[in-house]
Amino acid sequence: MTRRAFAAVLAGVLLLAGCATVPQRPGAGLWHGGRLFIATGNTTGVYYTIGGGYADLITKHVAGYEARAEATGASGENIERVASGDMDVALTLADTAADAYTGKGAFDGGPRKIVALARVYKSYIHLVVRNSAKIATFGDLRGKRVSTGSAGSGIDIVAGRMLFAGGINPDTEIVRQRLSLPETTKSMQAGTTDALFFAGGLPTPGITDLLNSAPGQYSILPLNELIQPLTYTYGSVYSLAKLPATAYNTPTDIDTVVIGNLIVVSPDMPEELAYQLTKVLFEHQVELSRVHPEGGNFDRASAPNTDPVPLHPGAARYYSSG
């Protein structure tokens, strides 16, 4: 249930109560009545898994608060919903957050009001192809049916940039499909999509399920040839890493592009709450790593590196507390 939906239900309760005295609701005095909503991503992606684990930790360890993870279209939508007050906390790709904070790219309508709690794990760009589509190189995507992720998502933006970096116009030289990961995997299995882009931690459940559904019928292509044009245009927000063979039982490690992930909130969030939400990430990180391995793949030393998105004062206080 989103904040707007919850408010509508509450308004209905108050209306039915008429003029009778209404007892103070649980959580009154806490920010948003003690209910926090976390914007995550597609249900088969790592954001959803990590977000659900984070919500459980908040509910368990932050006194007075109950948190709930919500499935969304991921980064771009998440930022808009935090900026509008419909969500309280969001996971987002660092490049999308940078665009939103500075009012660039898909956010050219003006900067969005967001601040960060932490830089967390890295997302790996996956380019998965159906072998029957005969896509052996990046250039072979030309003319193919390619899913670039949910409309407005971080991967939709990144995929467009990568296609341009590889010399392919994403709007005229491929059949661009903007599908969620669950929709994309079904379309790949049906033979109506030839390739997909996705950004996620390792392993991404939806990618694992797709590869395991038909062993030998899909491949993950390397993307190292794109890092130079990407960093030339967009800077160090993108870097090169190896997708380990152990992630999806591939024959070898695969060179790919990685992007950091941020946890962002509204600057209106009370300082003490932001402090507690940041503290939970590190004091209960072992618990989060049990939910998904990426929960253990971030550290306190690098977590404050969220530029250009500033840290919330509460998060900054946590990092300076030693």
Side-chain angles (χ1 to χ4, degrees):
M1 181 183 292
T2 65
R3 181 168 312 289
R4 290 193 182 104
F6 176 68
V9 171
L10 181 60
V13 171
L14 295 177
L15 181 62
L16 289 173
C19 297
T21 300
V22 179
Q24 191 176 42
R25 71 184 187 279
L30 297 172
W31 198 56
H32 291 165
R35 292 179 65 89
L36 301 177
F37 293 91
I38 302 175
T40 62
N42 298 164
T43 55
T44 58
V46 176
Y47 275 6
Y48 187 74
T49 305
I50 289 284
Y54 188 30
D56 289 343
L57 292 180
I58 293 168
T59 300
K60 184 177 179 180
H61 298 293
V62 180
Y65 284 92
E66 176 185 347
R68 175 172 173 167
E70 296 285 341
T72 68
S75 298
E77 178 185 333
N78 292 355
I79 287 172
E80 296 288 15
R81 294 180 73 174
V82 165
S84 72
D86 190 46
M87 290 280 165
D88 304 294
V89 182
L91 287 151
T92 175
L93 292 174
D95 62 339
T96 306
D99 283 354
Y101 182 74
T102 55
K104 296 178 180 178
F107 304 92
D108 59 4
R112 303 311 195 260
K113 289 178 59 179
I114 56 168
V115 291
L117 297 184
R119 182 184 185 93
V120 286
Y121 67 93
K122 294 177 181 177
S123 277
Y124 291 69
I125 305 300
H126 301 65
L127 174 54
V128 184
V129 302
R130 284 192 306 107
N131 292 339
S132 60
K134 298 182 180 179
I135 304 171
T137 68
F138 193 85
D140 292 336
L141 290 174
R142 192 174 281 104
K144 304 297 184 180
R145 298 164 297 182
V146 182
S147 175
T148 58
S150 304
S153 65
I155 187 56
D156 188 37
I157 295 169
V158 175
R161 291 176 175 181
M162 297 185 85
L163 286 160
F164 272 122
I168 299 173
N169 187 314
D171 298 316
T172 61
E173 294 186 289
I174 62 168
V175 179
R176 190 170 191 170
Q177 300 172 331
R178 287 185 163 99
L179 305 173
S180 69
L181 183 56
E183 292 170 330
T184 298
T185 54
K186 288 179 182 178
S187 187
M188 290 278 280
Q189 291 167 333
T192 53
T193 294
D194 301 314
L196 71 86
F197 283 92
F198 193 76
L202 300 179
T204 290
I207 301 296
T208 299
D209 292 345
L210 175 64
L211 299 179
N212 289 343
S213 70
Q217 293 190 28
Y218 303 100
S219 297
I220 303 175
L221 295 193
L223 297 170
N224 50 303
E225 65 185 276
L226 304 178
I227 193 63
Q228 186 173 355
L230 282 173
T231 55
Y232 177 81
T233 304
Y234 302 105
S236 59
V237 68
Y238 302 111
S239 57
L240 196 63
K242 289 189 180 295
L243 195 162
T246 54
Y248 301 107
N249 295 317
T250 52
T252 63
D253 294 347
I254 300 167
D255 290 323
T256 193
V257 174
V258 293
I259 317 167
N261 290 291
L262 305 185
I263 296 177
V264 299
V265 299
S266 166
D268 298 329
M269 177 177 281
E271 182 178 327
E272 180 59 24
L273 176 57
Y275 175 88
Q276 294 296 333
L277 295 185
T278 309
K279 181 180 179 181
V280 161
L281 284 170
F282 297 94
E283 295 204 351
H284 300 282
Q285 189 173 4
V286 172
E287 293 172 65
L288 192 58
S289 70
R290 294 187 187 121
V291 175
H292 191 282
E294 292 291 9
N297 290 338
F298 54 91
D299 61 79
R300 181 168 168 160
S302 62
N305 300 330
T306 61
D307 289 343
V309 182
L311 286 173
H312 189 291
R317 175 160 65 90
Y318 172 77
Y319 296 120
S320 65
S321 63

